[in-house]
Amino acid sequence: MAVTINGSAGVTTNTGAVYDSLQRATAVASTSGTSIDFTSIPSWAKRVTVMLQGVSTSGTSNLQLQIGAGSVTTSGYSSYAQIFNSATLTNTGTITTGFVIWTSAATDTKTGVYTLVLLTGNTWVCTGNASQSSSQSSQTSGAIALGGTLDRVRITTVNGTDTFDAGTINIIYE
C-alpha cells in the first residue's frame, strides 16, 4: 500500500502502512456477576480505553482493572490511586492484583475512563479518572509487564466476590 499526501509530487510515500482505526466492543450491562471480561482484543492493539458509566457493586471492595495474554494476569501490577473529596486528598491506595478503581460505599456509582497504552514489548501503562456519586473522584496510574501479547481486559473487585448491580462498561481499542 502506498500513501500519497495531498497528491503532492515529491512527498515521501509509506509502503505497507496500515491504520486499524478505533474499534469499539459491544457494551456490557454491569448488572450481575463478579467480573466483566472483554476478550479477543487483536494483537495489533496498542491502546485500550475502558469506559464505565454508573457502575456499582454489592459491596465496598475496590474495583480493579486486570489485563492478560491468554489468561487474566492477577499479580505483579504496580497500581496507585488517589481519592479526592471536594478537591481535598482524602485517601490513597496501592494494589498489586490489578489497576485499582476506588470504591467508597456499596451505594456509590462510578463513571470514568481508563486508558491502557503499550509502552514497549509487552509492558502496559494505565492511567484513568472516575467520579463517584458520593461526590468523590479518583485518579489511578500504574504499569505491568505481561508474559505475552495483550488479548483481554477484566473488570472485577479486589475481593472477587462483590457482584455488579448497576451500570455499563465498554472498551475501545486501537
Side-chain angles (χ1 to χ4, degrees):
M1 173 173 124
V3 177
T4 303
I5 300 172
N6 293 330
S8 301
V11 174
T12 303
T13 60
N14 184 358
T15 303
V18 175
Y19 177 66
D20 291 301
S21 67
L22 298 175
Q23 303 291 316
R24 184 176 55 192
T26 302
V28 175
S30 51
T31 54
S32 65
T34 59
S35 65
I36 306 291
D37 288 350
F38 293 91
T39 58
S40 301
I41 297 171
S43 61
W44 52 258
K46 304 296 185 254
R47 179 174 19 204
V48 179
T49 303
V50 180
M51 303 159 293
L52 296 86
Q53 190 275 319
V55 174
S56 175
T57 64
S58 62
T60 59
S61 180
N62 290 327
L63 287 177
Q64 64 181 346
L65 172 65
Q66 297 174 318
I67 61 177
S71 62
V72 173
T73 301
T74 59
S75 63
Y77 293 81
S78 170
S79 176
Y80 179 77
Q82 294 181 315
I83 315 311
F84 297 89
N85 188 354
S86 301
T88 302
L89 180 63
T90 60
N91 210 333
T92 61
T94 60
I95 63 171
T96 60
T97 58
F99 300 115
V100 63
I101 302 171
W102 196 264
T103 300
S104 296
T107 56
D108 278 342
T109 59
K110 288 151 281 304
T111 299
V113 176
Y114 294 84
T115 304
L116 298 153
V117 180
L118 182 61
L119 177 65
T120 184
N122 291 313
T123 299
W124 289 81
V125 294
C126 177
T127 185
N129 297 291
S131 62
Q132 296 189 61
S133 56
S134 62
S135 300
Q136 293 184 341
S137 63
S138 64
Q139 296 177 329
T140 297
S141 62
I144 187 166
L146 296 178
T149 303
L150 179 137
D151 67 355
R152 66 196 61 229
V153 171
R154 170 177 285 171
I155 299 87
T156 187
T157 58
V158 172
N159 71 12
T161 58
D162 291 353
T163 57
F164 287 96
D165 56 19
T168 304
I169 302 173
N170 203 355
I171 65 168
I172 294 173
Y173 50 87
E174 56 185 305

